[in-house]
Amino acid sequence: MRKYMKRLCAGICLLLLCAGMTAFAEEATILKGVKIDGVDVSGMTRAEAVRALEAHEKEVGEQKISLKIGDETVEAGLSGFGITCSHAEAVDEALGIGRTGNIVKRYKDQKDLQHSGKEFALSWEVNERLVKSFVEENCTQFDREAENASLSRSNGEFQFVPGKQGLVLDVDGSVAAIMEHLSSGWSPDSEEHEIELKTRITEPEGSAEELASVKDLLGSFTTSFSTSSSNRCMNVSSGAEHINGTVLYPGESFSTYECVSPFTAENGYAMAGSYLNGEVVDSMGGGICQVSTTLYNAVLRAELEVTERSPHSMTVHYVELSEDAAIAGTYKDFKFVNSLSAPIYIEGYTTADKKITFNIYGKETRDSNRSISFESVKVSNVGGGTVLTENGGLPLGYKSVSKGQQGYVAELYKVVKVNGVETERIKVNKSTYKGSNRVVTYGTAGDPVLSENLRAAIALQDEALADANIAALVPPAPDPAPAE
């Protein structure tokens, strides 16, 4: 009898449970104890649950995550990654809990809800394009090149300077790490809001042993700037300082322009005379070409490979023809390569008596009985003639002369001797320097006949005849009075 009564009570409970479930189904609300991604959706309709999850999605977008790049950290807002989640499936599951399946399953699910509740997870997704854009714009700034081991020189002695590792961000690998973290197993309640981005360590070149071989003077050259203005002296000294201490490993190239620029006051330069289109004008850094020229000659004597060199538009006074190397904007540069099998060190300095010197040190491998020298050879003259002109606004008898400059075509040769006997003569370069004409200007305002005669002499470009016409204008000196 007791067994029968128990079964009857259980049956009544099930009937009541079913009646209750039917009522809940008609109201289409989520049973108590259900959460979606931490959001309590108990008693909510579908629309209410969707709105709650949309608000949750917005809150999640305001969260920050930390991106680690080596020792640096960048914070990123998830909204910037376009983070979204899919609501529909989670809401359907939440509505169905305790309402789907057979009577036993629904009864069990409801009991479980009453006891421990039920939470559904959302699947979060981010926009890979936005992630990559953020990484490229905000995380690659911490890339740093490896600093090769180097040398410093003081009191005639070299000291070793250890190198430093470089760090390069792997953009694609870092994007993949972020996508994986936010798409697989991550939730807004997670305590892990830091992602280690993918980086690549680059090792510096050089060791103390390798740089210990840098001790021999391979090439040296000195020029004087004793006639320079104070501003030009400053520019020459600044240029030497920028280059001083440069170490080049085998195969590395050197650009003088890149090393000494920008030509600003902050970088140690001032306005001084320089060549522009065949004329002398003031420019910031004027005189820097004497720096590149002096270095060029030291490089030639070290027998390194020159890859770019240009002559000046006109001759310079501090070296022989074809021994100069001009710098102008970005279209004229002096470049060379360390074509040796060991590192080189460039020492540059100026002295109180206004001289600039470059020394190139390395490992000497040339035969001791071999010597080199350089010869400048003038091939031909260019320009430098006389041009007669007139000025109708000035009176007859007026004459002015502007000084011209002779131009040249010249070649530079490297002469190689072994045991004092010449074995090779190698042309290094061929250079053309513009000449400027000597201009003679005559005044032609005055007597029409005399003016016409002077114009005729100018048309013939006959300076002697033009001068004779001017001389005719000067009255002869009176004879001296007889002595009493």
Side-chain angles (χ1 to χ4, degrees):
M1 185 66 178
R2 289 180 178 175
K3 185 180 292 185
Y4 173 77
M5 289 302 294
K6 287 181 179 179
R7 290 177 180 176
L8 180 62
C9 288
I12 293 170
C13 289
L14 285 172
L15 287 173
L16 292 172
L17 179 61
C18 290
M21 287 189 293
T22 302
F24 277 112
E26 289 173 354
E27 294 174 8
T29 58
I30 300 170
L31 296 179
K32 185 178 181 180
V34 178
K35 292 182 179 181
I36 300 177
D37 213 59
V39 178
D40 190 347
V41 291
S42 301
M44 293 184 183
T45 64
R46 170 185 287 277
E48 290 170 338
V50 168
R51 285 196 296 271
L53 292 177
E54 286 175 346
H56 175 58
E57 182 179 85
K58 185 177 179 180
E59 290 177 358
V60 171
E62 294 172 352
Q63 291 187 16
K64 305 283 187 182
I65 61 170
S66 297
L67 307 177
K68 292 283 290 179
I69 310 108
D71 297 330
E72 305 291 342
T73 300
V74 173
E75 280 201 340
L78 292 179
S79 60
F81 290 167
I83 192 163
T84 58
C85 62
S86 177
H87 308 137
E89 184 177 343
V91 173
D92 286 342
E93 290 182 350
L95 282 166
I97 189 72
R99 301 184 185 284
T100 57
N102 57 41
I103 292 176
V104 176
K105 181 180 185 304
R106 282 179 278 174
Y107 175 77
K108 183 177 183 303
D109 287 346
Q110 290 191 24
K111 284 295 184 182
D112 289 342
L113 285 176
Q114 294 171 9
H115 182 262
S116 58
K118 176 72 174 179
E119 181 164 1
F120 295 95
L122 289 175
S123 177
W124 294 91
E125 294 182 354
V126 291
N127 186 313
E128 185 173 358
R129 179 182 60 81
L130 293 178
V131 172
K132 185 171 184 177
S133 177
F134 182 90
V135 170
E136 289 177 335
E137 293 177 10
N138 298 277
C139 300
T140 56
Q141 62 178 307
F142 300 109
D143 285 2
R144 61 176 185 270
E145 293 185 2
E147 295 182 20
N148 292 337
S150 187
L151 294 170
S152 64
R153 183 174 172 83
S154 60
N155 300 320
E157 298 290 335
F158 285 110
Q159 290 81 39
F160 175 71
V161 180
K164 295 181 181 179
Q165 288 182 327
L167 183 75
V168 179
L169 184 71
D170 177 356
V171 173
D172 291 338
S174 296
V175 170
I178 294 171
M179 297 291 294
E180 174 69 21
H181 181 88
L182 296 179
S183 302
S184 303
W186 176 86
S187 74
D189 295 329
S190 172
E191 295 181 359
E192 183 56 56
H193 286 282
E194 184 174 278
I195 304 173
E196 189 81 28
L197 299 190
K198 304 296 182 182
T199 57
R200 176 172 54 85
I201 299 296
T202 56
E203 297 296 333
E205 280 190 86
S207 63
E209 181 180 4
E210 184 177 12
L211 289 173
S213 65
V214 179
K215 57 185 178 182
D216 301 317
L217 181 61
L218 305 180
S220 178
F221 201 77
T222 299
T223 61
S224 172
F225 54 98
S226 59
T227 60
S228 296
S229 66
S230 59
N231 280 0
R232 191 177 187 278
C233 291
M234 178 193 300
N235 296 337
V236 173
S237 296
S238 293
E241 288 175 8
H242 285 303
I243 297 172
N244 181 50
T246 298
V247 172
L248 292 180
Y249 286 84
E252 287 188 336
S253 61
F254 179 85
S255 161
T256 307
Y257 178 82
E258 290 179 4
C259 185
V260 299
S261 62
F263 300 115
T264 62
E266 293 76 16
N267 205 30
Y269 296 105
M271 297 292 289
S274 63
Y275 286 155
L276 178 63
N277 298 323
E279 297 182 358
V280 178
V281 297
D282 274 351
S283 65
M284 187 63 82
I288 195 66
C289 290
Q290 185 163 356
V291 177
S292 57
T293 291
T294 309
L295 179 61
Y296 173 55
N297 282 273
V299 166
L300 290 179
R301 284 151 181 78
E303 297 187 87
L304 304 175
E305 179 186 351
V306 175
T307 55
E308 183 178 336
R309 170 264 173 192
S310 299
H312 286 76
S313 57
M314 298 187 295
T315 59
V316 296
H317 67 276
Y318 43 83
V319 289
E320 298 295 326
L321 298 175
S322 284
E323 289 186 342
D324 59 319
I327 294 180
T330 56
Y331 60 92
K332 281 186 179 181
D333 195 1
F334 169 51
K335 298 179 180 179
F336 64 95
V337 173
N338 178 7
S339 49
L340 306 179
S341 59
I344 61 169
Y345 176 91
I346 304 174
E347 179 183 46
Y349 59 89
T350 57
T351 55
D353 59 348
K354 297 186 178 181
K355 290 181 180 179
I356 177 173
T357 296
F358 280 106
N359 296 318
I360 298 178
Y361 293 91
K363 182 180 180 180
E364 183 62 84
T365 59
R366 295 171 291 188
D367 291 338
S368 59
N369 62 345
R370 177 182 177 274
S371 65
I372 61 170
S373 61
F374 292 86
E375 290 184 9
S376 171
V377 178
K378 189 186 302 179
V379 177
S380 62
N381 293 345
V382 177
T386 295
V387 176
L388 306 187
T389 64
E390 68 165 298
N391 187 328
L394 295 172
L396 287 164
Y398 172 85
K399 177 182 180 181
S400 69
V401 180
S402 69
K403 184 180 180 181
Q405 182 168 323
Q406 182 66 58
Y408 303 96
V409 174
E411 294 174 342
L412 184 66
Y413 288 86
K414 179 169 76 172
V415 180
V416 181
K417 293 182 180 180
V418 177
N419 294 322
V421 178
E422 182 176 320
T423 58
E424 288 182 282
R425 181 173 288 264
I426 305 163
K427 185 165 76 173
V428 176
N429 70 58
K430 184 175 182 178
S431 305
T432 299
Y433 303 92
K434 295 178 182 178
S436 60
N437 291 323
R438 173 177 172 268
V439 180
V440 182
T441 302
Y442 294 94
T444 56
D447 183 274
V449 175
L450 295 176
S451 296
E452 189 60 32
N453 291 338
L454 181 56
R455 288 192 183 96
I458 294 172
L460 294 170
Q461 294 292 297
D462 189 332
E463 186 175 1
L465 181 58
D467 288 345
N469 278 274
I470 291 178
L473 296 172
V474 181
D479 293 334
E484 296 181 354

